[in-house]
Amino acid sequence: MVTPQITWRPVVESDFALLADWLSRPHVHRYWHHDFSPEGVARDFGPGTRGEEAGEDLLVSFDGVPAALVQRSRIADYAEDLEELSAIVDVPEHAVTIDYLIADLGNTGRGLGTALIRAVVAETWLSYPDAPAIIVPVVAGNVGSWRALEKAGFRRVGEGDMEPDNPIDEPLHVVSRIDRPVI
C-alpha cells in the first residue's frame, strides 16, 4: 500500500453533515457512540468550532479527500478524563491524548490508521512543545485501534476500567503511550 498524503484542518460547522454521516456508519458508531442527528453533532462539535473547547477536532484528508477525524487535547483540560486515566497510569503534566476514526470501512485494516497516528504524533510534538507524552486509552475490545497505536510506536503502559463510550462495552481499557523523542 502506498501511504497517501495526510493533511488536516480544524472542523468547521459546514462539516457537520459529513461528520453525521461518518458517525452513523456501523463500524464508526460501534466505538464512537455519538448522537449523529444534526442536533447531536452540533451539540458535540459546535463548541470546538467556536473556540469554546480546550480540545481540537481535526478533519483529516487522504490525498485531499476527507476521510477521517482526529480529536486531540491535553488530558488535564478534561478533569474527569484525567481522574479516570490517572487511576490506571501515571499522567505527566501537559500530556496529550488523541482519538481517531477512519470514515470508510474499506480504508480500515490497510495501515491508514497507523499512518494517520504517526502523522498526528509527529505534528503534536511541534504544536504541543511542552507535551512529554501522548497517552491513549482504548476500550479493550477495539483491538484494531490499540494495535494501530502499537504499530505507530506506542507501548502498552496499563489496563484498567474506564467509562466506555458505548454502553455495550466492558469498562476495561488498554492504555498506550508514546514519549517525546529525545533529541
Side-chain angles (χ1 to χ4, degrees):
M1 177 197 80
V2 175
T3 302
Q5 179 185 12
I6 299 170
T7 57
W8 55 82
R9 61 166 174 77
V11 167
V12 295
E13 190 173 340
S14 61
D15 297 323
F16 289 178
L18 179 63
L19 294 180
D21 173 48
W22 290 356
L23 292 167
S24 74
R25 296 177 183 186
H27 78 283
V28 172
H29 192 67
R30 171 64 186 86
Y31 294 106
W32 281 66
H33 196 72
H34 285 251
D35 176 357
F36 51 81
S37 70
E39 300 80 18
V41 172
R43 179 193 61 240
D44 292 345
F45 293 92
T49 65
R50 296 186 298 271
E52 299 167 3
E53 284 263 343
E56 300 173 273
D57 297 319
L58 305 169
L59 186 80
V60 179
S61 294
F62 296 155
D63 290 333
V65 177
L69 176 72
V70 169
Q71 292 183 318
R72 178 171 63 179
S73 65
R74 291 189 189 282
I75 297 167
D77 286 342
Y78 297 88
E80 185 176 299
D81 294 343
L82 175 61
E83 183 178 332
E84 265 193 310
L85 198 50
S86 294
I88 301 169
V89 298
D90 175 51
V91 178
E93 186 176 5
H94 305 297
V96 170
T97 192
I98 60 172
D99 201 358
Y100 40 84
L101 66 82
I102 303 290
D104 291 323
L105 182 60
N107 281 337
T108 64
R110 299 180 40 217
L112 292 172
T114 299
L116 171 60
I117 293 165
R118 284 184 181 134
V120 169
V121 165
E123 199 280 332
T124 298
W125 301 139
L126 300 172
S127 294
Y128 294 79
D130 59 350
I134 303 169
I135 302 172
V136 183
V138 175
V139 69
N142 191 350
V143 176
S145 183
W146 54 260
R147 286 288 298 133
L149 288 164
E150 289 175 352
K151 290 175 186 175
F154 283 72
R155 69 186 192 291
R156 185 180 301 198
V157 293
E159 294 181 5
D161 289 350
M162 297 178 72
E163 185 70 32
D165 286 341
N166 191 330
I168 69 169
D169 285 315
E170 297 293 324
L172 182 63
H173 281 66
V174 171
V175 181
S176 300
R177 174 179 171 152
I178 192 166
D179 291 315
R180 176 180 292 279
V182 177
I183 299 175

